[in-house]
Amino acid sequence: MVRSETSSEGLVTISLDRPDKANALTPGMLEALIAAVEAATTAGARALVLTGTGKVFSAGADLDAARAGLAVSPLWEALSGAIAAAPALTIAALNGTAAGGALGMVLACDLRIAVPTAKIFYPVMRLGFLPQPSDPRRLAALAGPSRAAMILMAGQKISADEALSWGLIDRIAEPEALAETAAALAADALAAEVAHVAGIKQLIAGAR
């Protein structure tokens, strides 16, 4: 349900592959995502793309798993932490809507691109759960505190166009051009040394 592929240029693409369930995440999938990110880092990946199969990036936690405790699992924070710490250019390529806890891994990426039909929402207020600790901070850093409240407290579903204007995503691409757009954004990092990519990423992180 999680696939990892490396192109001839060295671009690592990690895909959520449970399209019949809108890529809803289980504990095993979160563990596999963490392992894939860590394996890419260990292998010296300079660019990493997170995407999904089907028409939805991820509906968030699998409902049965959420009821069994996944909604408050530390795995979410471990995943977003691994992505944020990766010494590579990380790109979320949203093939569709990113909802709930799945938004955490998206926010942890350096860049976010999305298809025009994608939406972003995080219904923790309605569901009665707190978001993972780093998610509100990253959300507010990108879009501002009021817009973070629009998503986390007012429960608003944000369209791709609105997310672009807010700074939540960086580019919109048609579905057939999504992978190509991600690869183009990764090209300079793929042509650089691992230490150079990591060094620039650290400088950007220090400026936040």
Side-chain angles (χ1 to χ4, degrees):
M1 291 185 282
V2 172
R3 292 186 291 106
S4 183
E5 301 171 313
T6 304
S7 73
S8 58
E9 293 80 16
L11 176 63
V12 177
T13 300
I14 300 173
S15 302
L16 306 178
D17 194 14
R18 197 188 181 200
D20 57 317
K21 297 292 185 181
N23 292 326
L25 296 160
T26 64
M29 289 176 72
L30 290 175
E31 289 169 350
L33 284 164
I34 295 167
V37 172
E38 291 178 344
T41 298
T42 300
R46 290 154 293 168
L48 173 64
V49 174
L50 291 174
T51 193
T53 56
K55 296 184 177 180
V56 177
F57 174 74
S58 177
D62 177 89
L63 289 179
D64 290 338
R67 295 186 190 102
L70 183 60
V72 293
S73 170
L75 287 171
W76 302 100
E77 194 72 7
L79 174 57
S80 61
I83 294 167
L89 174 64
T90 53
I91 302 169
L94 303 181
N95 56 298
T97 292
L103 192 56
M105 71 178 95
V106 175
L107 295 170
C109 286
D110 300 310
L111 299 174
R112 285 153 292 280
I113 61 177
V115 298
T117 55
K119 290 183 172 59
I120 288 174
F121 66 103
Y122 203 147
V124 283
M125 185 66 78
R126 177 169 55 83
L127 294 176
F129 297 113
L130 289 175
Q132 294 305 309
S134 64
D135 293 354
R137 172 174 54 81
R138 291 191 176 110
L139 187 57
L142 289 168
S146 296
R147 287 167 173 170
M150 285 280 282
I151 293 172
L152 295 173
M153 303 186 75
Q156 296 299 291
K157 293 183 179 181
I158 307 303
S159 69
D161 285 336
E162 192 167 23
L164 181 65
S165 71
W166 285 11
L168 278 179
I169 63 173
D170 303 295
R171 190 160 291 173
I172 294 174
E174 294 298 327
E176 62 273 15
L178 188 66
E180 181 181 350
T181 301
L185 290 171
D188 278 11
L190 293 174
E193 297 293 330
V194 174
H196 191 57
V197 177
I200 291 177
K201 184 163 181 171
Q202 289 177 346
L203 289 171
I204 294 171
R208 289 173 180 164

